Amino acid sequence: MRSALRDEPVSVLDRILAILDTVRESHGTTTITQLALATGIPKSTVSRLVGDLIRQRYLTRAEDGVVIGLRLFELGARASTPRRLSIAALPVLAELFNATGEHLNVAVQEGRDMLSVISVRGRLRPVPSRAGVRVPSATTALGKAVLAFTSDESILASVMAGLDPQRRHMLERELATVRTESVAVDRCETFPGVVGVASPVLSPERLPVAAISVAGPVTNMDANRMMPLVRHAALALTHRLALQVA
Amino acid sequence: MRSALRDEPVSVLDRILAILDTVRESHGTTTITQLALATGIPKSTVSRLVGDLIRQRYLTRAEDGVVIGLRLFELGARASTPRRLSIAALPVLAELFNATGEHLNVAVQEGRDMLSVISVRGRLRPVPSRAGVRVPSATTALGKAVLAFTSDESILASVMAGLDPQRRHMLERELATVRTESVAVDRCETFPGVVGVASPVLSPERLPVAAISVAGPVTNMDANRMMPLVRHAALALTHRLALQVA
DNA sequence: TGCCATGGTCCCACTCACTGGAACATCGGC
DNA sequence: GCCGATGTTCCAGTGAGTGGGACCATGGCA
């Protein structure tokens, strides 16, 4: 990992990860040429690296290009945080789903975004978020629930930096409310017609480890009814996680 | 990717993938030293590579070692085959679950193993297979359903090579039955007390793309009742996949 | 308190694995 | 048959990666 100057990767590892991420970002399939353009790596080098990755099943050839392969699926399925959370959250989500019937999510902070780790389909169509997708921190209920309790000032600052002063002020006031209420709301800020209600899951040190949310159509989901349910679910998950470690 | 002779990886890519796979295989956490021993890569090199992978969030440091990180989870969630299958299989699985209430799996062939791609929990405890885990081809219903229709003679041969002559003969006869019945059964061969019933999902060219299975306790699940249900589900999935491409 | 064992990181001269430009295939489309 | 676009292969040159060893934690033990 020599020069990470500029954004041109030079180490093999950087390049491999750049290729994998580019394949991921290109929803659907990508070609070698597109990868070379997007990453700035010469075409012959991309061809060789992709060839190796395909041989190892980390990538696969589809009809019209390259896609993520089964080995990465296998690796991803063993990821530590999602597994731990899943085990602890499953009964909690089952209860919450029985009470609401709505779309549920458990997400963790990943850089300045929230990354959905578990997703339960409710009646909402199309499904706004699935496990493994990123949603913005500044507008989603999940994001606000975590931001309100985050200790990493730099992340909070960089999220704030992306907002104009007015919205920033509003978000700051909102986060203060979240800190007392333990519930955050997203009224069609991220997805039109979709309301989200989320509550943070904290570690014993009161640092945010995740958030749990309910999302439904603005037309006929009562956010106020959801708040105590989500808060209760988040507390239950917090409790179960504390037990799990021991 | 120079010499893949012996099993000592020399290319950076080989080494990175060897490290990732070793972390995956070590259920739980691994240390740098353990990784160096398992992969045959010098400790200083492992330290550097793991450091880079952690910086990129492909791995994460846990209390007692290194575990799979969130970026790999994100990549895995975008894997092509599991996504396509999930979209097509969800309604089919819902129907099958309503009819049975048992543990369901959709799996694909991955080398000589079957890799579970979707898993629905039934009443069975402990859950024998989850999404992202490998199960043997020779003994599971899923494996037999696919092996019976596989065109890759080398895989069939290498699975057979792992069996003693008597078992090999039995499996061959079993596969012949599967070819006519489109249903394979695993009577406690893989997991004690667990019966599995599976049916293959074929491409328009009649090549196996996946298999779908029901698993339940040998004590009170009626395999014969499951057979038509599983067969019907597999046909429905086959049909939906054929439509999806178009 | 000192000592050893264990696990992890860092340094830096050497060298071989990786690079990438260019030539070569391959596939339509007109 | 020509052209453009995409993917693969070749190979000499070289700098990215290597790894032995020094160094820095811990922590158990006497």
Side-chain angles (χ1 to χ4, degrees), chain B residues 179-195:
Chain B
R179 271 186 283 270
T180 61
E181 301 289 322
S182 278
V183 181
V185 180
D186 165 5
R187 289 192 198 278
C188 311
E189 293 167 63
T190 315
F191 304 102
V194 176
V195 178

Side-chain angles (χ1 to χ4, degrees), chain B residues 60-87:
Chain B
T60 310
R61 236 178 259 289
E63 293 99 66
D64 48 355
V66 171
V67 295
I68 307 269
L70 281 174
R71 295 289 286 282
L72 279 172
F73 172 75
E74 222 183 324
L75 278 171
R78 285 277 202 305
S80 171
T81 310
R83 270 174 82 90
R84 271 192 32 250
L85 278 175
S86 290
I87 292 167

Side-chain angles (χ1 to χ4, degrees), chain A residues 3-213:
Chain A
S3 85
L5 299 170
R6 303 293 134 214
D7 52 0
E8 201 180 309
V10 279
S11 82
V12 185
L13 193 145
D14 274 348
R15 293 177 141 169
I16 292 167
L17 304 190
I19 288 173
L20 292 180
D21 276 346
T22 309
V23 175
R24 175 176 60 75
E25 279 158 26
S26 77
H27 303 248
T29 59
T30 330
T31 67
I32 300 277
T33 310
Q34 277 170 5
L35 283 173
L37 281 171
T39 58
I41 305 170
K43 207 171 58 157
S44 67
T45 303
V46 173
S47 174
R48 187 164 27 82
L49 291 178
V50 168
D52 288 348
L53 287 167
I54 287 174
R55 219 158 295 136
Q56 300 269 15
R57 309 267 204 125
Y58 280 69
L59 295 177
T60 309
R61 235 179 261 289
E63 293 98 68
D64 48 355
V66 171
V67 295
I68 307 272
L70 280 174
R71 296 290 287 281
L72 279 172
F73 173 76
E74 223 182 323
L75 278 171
R78 285 278 202 305
S80 170
T81 309
R83 270 174 81 90
R84 271 191 32 250
L85 278 175
S86 291
I87 292 167
L90 236 66
V92 174
L93 289 174
E95 194 188 338
L96 186 56
F97 187 78
N98 281 336
T100 64
E102 300 288 356
H103 183 52
L104 309 180
N105 268 290
V106 177
V108 297
Q109 201 171 24
E110 165 71 3
R112 23 181 136 175
D113 299 320
M114 294 297 291
L115 178 64
S116 173
V117 161
I118 318 170
S119 185
V120 179
R121 280 160 167 254
R123 54 176 168 154
L124 207 53
R125 290 290 177 299
V127 181
S129 52
R130 302 168 134 269
V133 305
R134 285 167 184 266
V135 291
S137 288
T139 63
T140 55
L142 288 165
K144 289 184 260 189
V146 165
L147 279 184
F149 291 88
T150 194
S151 67
D152 190 336
E153 289 299 325
S154 69
I155 291 210
L156 189 59
S158 82
V159 170
M160 288 292 184
L163 303 173
D164 60 79
Q166 203 178 355
R167 289 191 50 77
R168 194 179 311 171
H169 188 64
M170 273 179 57
L171 182 55
E172 266 160 9
R173 280 184 45 185
E174 223 178 326
L175 295 186
T177 319
V178 175
R179 272 185 281 270
T180 61
E181 301 289 322
S182 278
V183 181
V185 180
D186 165 4
R187 288 191 199 278
C188 311
E189 295 167 64
T190 315
F191 304 102
V194 176
V195 179
V197 179
S199 184
V201 177
L202 306 177
S203 71
E205 301 81 34
R206 290 191 63 77
L207 294 176
V209 294
I212 188 165
S213 81

Side-chain angles (χ1 to χ4, degrees), chain B residues 1-2 11-12 33 43-44 47:
Chain B
M1 197 104 103
R2 232 38 83 86
S11 82
V12 186
T33 309
K43 207 171 58 156
S44 66
S47 174

Side-chain angles (χ1 to χ4, degrees), chain B residues 222-238:
Chain B
D222 180 2
N224 291 325
R225 189 174 82 82
M226 295 301 153
M227 289 182 187
L229 296 172
V230 179
R231 190 160 30 200
H232 175 260
L235 280 174
L237 181 49
T238 298

